[in-house]
Amino acid sequence: MTPAVVRLRPEIVAMAAYAQGKPADADAFKLSSNENPFDPIPEVVAAIAASSGVNRYPDAAGTELRARLAVQFGVRTEEVHLGAGSVSILAQLISAAAGAGDEVVYPWRSFEAYPGLVAVAGATGVPVPNTADHRHDLPAMLAAITDRTRVVMVCSPNNPTGAVVTDAEFADFMAVVPAHVLVVLDEAYVEFVTDDSVVNGRTLSGRYSNLVVTRTFSKAYGLAGLRIGYAVGPEYILDAARTTSIPLSVTEAAQRAALVSLDHEETLLERVHRLAVLRDEVWSALLDQGWRVPRPHGNFVWLPTGEHTAAAAQVFSAAGIVVRALGSDGIRVSIGEAQSVDKLLLAAAEVVGTLPMRHPALALD
Ligand SMILES: *Cc1c(COP(=O)(O)O)cnc(C)c1O
């Protein structure tokens, strides 16, 4: 082994490398990364093939796509920002607002990337535990805001618990957050929401001078491998985010594929609808098995298996289902191919039978 001579930032060395969903065996279903199971539509494949030569840099401003998204949100093009995946925009926003000595408040469990992005920015993370029913504890998040707080993350639907923040809850929350604190509303799964009471960033444009909404083409639109997401918010905040970004990371192919996806939005959202229907069927089957799991609003379900998580993940793996096991909190299973559902439910039934009486993942009766 090479001796460690170079002085690296200790907080970076201490961070475990990002654990990607395990590659699936050839005959296993990979339900560990909340990916879209449908193949890209032919128009997207054609758009990728037709994008200009890779010897040229992409359009740095991404003006055409930003203009299209601006129309959808009823904002100016300057109020839309593109990134190589919305994760990269989250990194930019955190770096733009928070540095050494500053705090970033986020719910936990939530998106696995949040703690790392905060650490890389040099800031201090302030995780706020979810409520017992796996939702954001918004009053506790408000109480965690101090003079040092620069950013508060809100994730709705929340990855991995699938819970949402309602429109009314979000309005009450924003009314209390100080105006100098940036609120980032991460809506990576908003397209899968079927409940009208859930907050939707598209209805909030122009309402708050300290709110940025982030979305992605990775999940509902099935472009995860191309890396393209976007943010909508006040121009001065997006300008600051852009300043921290690595220029030219959003490729021409990604921009073209996103534009074509908007042209064929109806087809893609019909697929999203099918996944949401399947999700609700899986949820009600889980309830019938005796699980107590939060109502899922994204393209995944959350099994709060607690200290039985590693053993439960083994059961799924043996059944040909690759899941995301998250510490000793639980298991997240994506809603993928319709053919995966029987296997998923068989494994879930086996796991629920192994949980001790009065385990919090079991329904009370
Ligand atoms: C998947 C995901 C993202 C974004 O992913 P990108 O592929 O980088 O756009 C952002 N937030 C959450 C909560 C996610 O699960």
Side-chain angles (χ1 to χ4, degrees), residues 139-216:
M141 288 170 65
L142 288 172
I145 295 175
T146 70
D147 286 347
R148 287 207 279 264
T149 308
R150 295 291 176 271
V151 185
V152 181
M153 304 297 311
V154 174
C155 187
S156 176
N158 184 47
N159 173 7
T161 66
V164 285
V165 173
T166 68
D167 200 35
E169 287 168 340
F170 191 74
D172 291 348
F173 175 79
M174 289 304 292
V176 182
V177 176
H180 63 266
V181 172
L182 170 63
V183 176
V184 179
L185 176 59
D186 181 345
E187 292 193 325
Y189 301 97
V190 71
E191 296 87 355
F192 295 95
V193 170
T194 50
D195 177 338
D196 287 344
S197 69
V198 173
V199 68
N200 185 320
R202 207 184 274 190
T203 67
L204 301 176
S205 301
R207 280 255 280 280
Y208 304 103
S209 59
N210 61 335
L211 174 67
V212 173
V213 175
T214 60
R215 292 193 173 190
T216 179

Side-chain angles (χ1 to χ4, degrees), residues 213-290:
V213 175
T214 60
R215 292 193 173 190
T216 179
F217 285 95
S218 295
K219 310 286 168 45
Y221 295 84
L223 301 184
L226 278 177
R227 315 302 307 127
I228 184 155
Y230 60 98
V232 181
E235 183 179 353
Y236 77 98
I237 302 175
L238 300 186
D239 281 345
R242 202 171 295 119
T243 303
T244 75
S245 76
I246 295 166
L248 301 161
S249 329
V250 184
T251 65
E252 185 77 24
Q255 293 179 39
R256 292 275 141 229
L259 278 163
V260 167
S261 298
L262 295 177
D263 289 340
H264 296 86
E265 202 161 34
E266 221 172 295
T267 307
L268 294 168
L269 293 182
E270 206 280 316
R271 293 171 160 196
V272 165
H273 173 72
R274 273 147 68 188
L275 290 168
V277 169
L278 201 56
R279 168 199 70 199
D280 292 343
E281 288 170 8
V282 168
W283 181 54
S284 75
L286 290 170
L287 297 184
D288 289 345
Q289 290 181 1

